Amino acid sequence: MKDRRKLKFYNSNSNSNSNSNSEDPLKSIRFYIENNFQILSIERIIYEFNKILLDKNPSKGIFFYYKIGLLKIILPELINIKGIKKIHCFKHKDNFYHTLKVVDNISNYSNNLWLKWAALLHDIGKYLTKKYRSNIGWTFYSHELIGAKMIDSIFKRLKLHKKKNIKYIKNIIKYSSRPITLISYLTTDSSIKKLLVNMGNSIEDLIFLCKSDITTKKFLKKKQFKQKLDFLKKKIKKIEEKKNKKKFVFPLSGDNIMNILNINSCKEIGILKKLLKKAIIKGIIPNDFNKASLFIKNLYLLKNLFKIKIK
């Protein structure tokens, strides 16, 4: 209803040259945009578009931009992936409508604007890589890499110049299919480590995109993919924990512990350090000198008070 009111407003304010335009509000808006786009500020358009992306269901606003012809002007790359093509018994899905679902799906995981941009543009490389192969069907080999390379020119056109955001989006798109190739139980730790090196702190966002990219209507298939991605997430967590253990820096040295407890060097110092490390890794206490000192004091006090053997 809100969109219909917008249509009426645009219809009454557009200078249509024909009766056909005035009969259809969408045609009136398209006519107005095509003839007045040069005086519209791209910054203003993208400001409003970003508000649409931050909505809980961005697809409604994006589709409205498509219907009025504005999407074709600001993001023709999305229009290029629209449509289904069939040769013999092989056909591919409509990647435009698939993208709308992905953007809605990712809104259930995150409200990160730049992750939503990555979701919106993650399949744009399919237009340039689409190829029909007999006995195989439609392929889109390396569409992620091609799509990532397209981001610089798109963001320059849209006057979105922040290098940090562009780099983030390119990286998410470039590796958008990688987690799916790592969901096998036979996947080695070294393969996962390589992905972690490439993604850094964006690994969780990449998993969110992969989950959102599963738009199949087959419930069982969707469930299996999500379970495997959750399993991959657990493997990633274990690898990161191992890495943190290796580069663990003690907040207290053996000498610090001896001074705090006023005791001489003994076997208990090593045991106390092990317990302190476990407590920090598990998040029981922060890796902080004062908190660690208090933890050691309390631990030693409990040991003496209840005659507990520290192991």
Side-chain angles (χ1 to χ4, degrees), residues 55-283:
D55 189 69
K56 195 67 181 171
N57 295 295
S59 63
K60 290 180 181 178
I62 297 166
F63 191 72
F64 182 75
Y65 266 47
Y66 162 69
K67 290 295 281 183
I68 63 174
L70 191 52
L71 195 64
K72 182 175 71 174
I73 298 170
I74 61 169
L75 284 169
E77 295 82 3
L78 286 177
I79 306 302
N80 289 342
I81 60 171
K82 189 178 181 299
I84 298 170
K85 200 163 184 181
K86 185 177 180 181
I87 295 179
H88 303 306
C89 60
F90 297 109
K91 70 174 182 178
H92 62 75
K93 64 190 170 191
D94 190 312
N95 286 298
F96 173 73
Y97 289 106
H98 162 74
T99 294
L100 294 186
K101 285 180 187 176
V102 174
V103 179
D104 277 353
N105 288 346
I106 211 157
S107 300
N108 295 321
Y109 295 107
S110 172
N111 207 33
N112 177 342
L113 175 64
W114 306 111
L115 178 57
K116 290 191 175 190
W117 268 102
L120 182 72
L121 302 174
H122 81 285
D123 270 348
I124 55 171
K126 286 187 173 179
Y127 174 69
L128 296 173
T129 57
K130 183 169 75 171
K131 191 172 279 190
Y132 175 77
R133 299 169 192 268
S134 57
N135 302 322
I136 296 175
W138 294 99
T139 63
F140 304 91
Y141 296 141
S142 300
H143 75 272
E144 307 92 345
L145 188 62
I146 299 300
K149 286 180 178 179
M150 294 166 70
I151 298 301
D152 284 314
S153 59
I154 292 171
F155 273 53
K156 187 178 179 182
R157 183 177 75 230
L158 301 179
K159 296 188 178 179
L160 292 166
H161 298 304
K162 283 192 179 178
K163 288 183 180 179
K164 186 182 174 183
N165 298 333
I166 293 170
K167 186 180 177 183
Y168 167 83
I169 292 167
K170 285 172 72 175
N171 219 32
I172 292 282
I173 293 173
K174 184 179 178 181
Y175 294 102
S176 57
S177 296
R178 186 66 180 135
I180 295 295
T181 66
L182 299 175
I183 59 177
S184 166
Y185 289 93
L186 301 173
T187 299
T188 61
D189 283 2
S190 59
S191 302
I192 297 172
K193 283 176 186 174
K194 193 174 178 182
L195 179 64
L196 287 171
V197 169
N198 290 324
M199 293 310 301
N201 296 329
S202 305
I203 188 66
E204 189 173 26
D205 289 348
L206 182 64
I207 301 290
F208 286 156
L209 177 59
C210 288
K211 284 186 174 182
S212 303
D213 202 19
I214 304 164
T215 59
T216 177
K217 291 178 181 177
K218 294 175 182 176
F219 175 78
L220 192 60
K221 190 177 179 182
K222 185 186 284 189
K223 188 180 177 182
Q224 285 173 342
F225 267 115
K226 287 188 176 181
Q227 282 175 342
K228 285 180 179 180
L229 283 168
D230 285 335
F231 176 73
L232 175 63
K233 204 172 173 182
K234 284 177 184 176
K235 286 188 82 171
I236 288 169
K237 191 178 178 182
K238 281 184 181 178
I239 289 167
E240 287 180 328
E241 282 174 358
K242 280 183 189 176
K243 186 182 172 185
N244 291 335
K245 280 179 185 178
K246 281 182 182 178
K247 64 176 186 181
F248 183 84
V249 179
F250 274 100
L252 300 176
S253 65
D255 287 337
N256 291 144
I257 294 171
M258 285 190 285
N259 291 331
I260 290 163
L261 302 177
N262 196 24
I263 60 174
N264 296 321
S265 180
C266 60
K267 189 181 176 182
E268 282 183 331
I269 301 296
I271 297 168
L272 286 166
K273 282 185 78 174
K274 278 184 183 178
L275 292 170
L276 175 62
K277 184 177 179 179
K278 276 186 183 178
I280 292 168
I281 287 170
K282 289 183 178 179

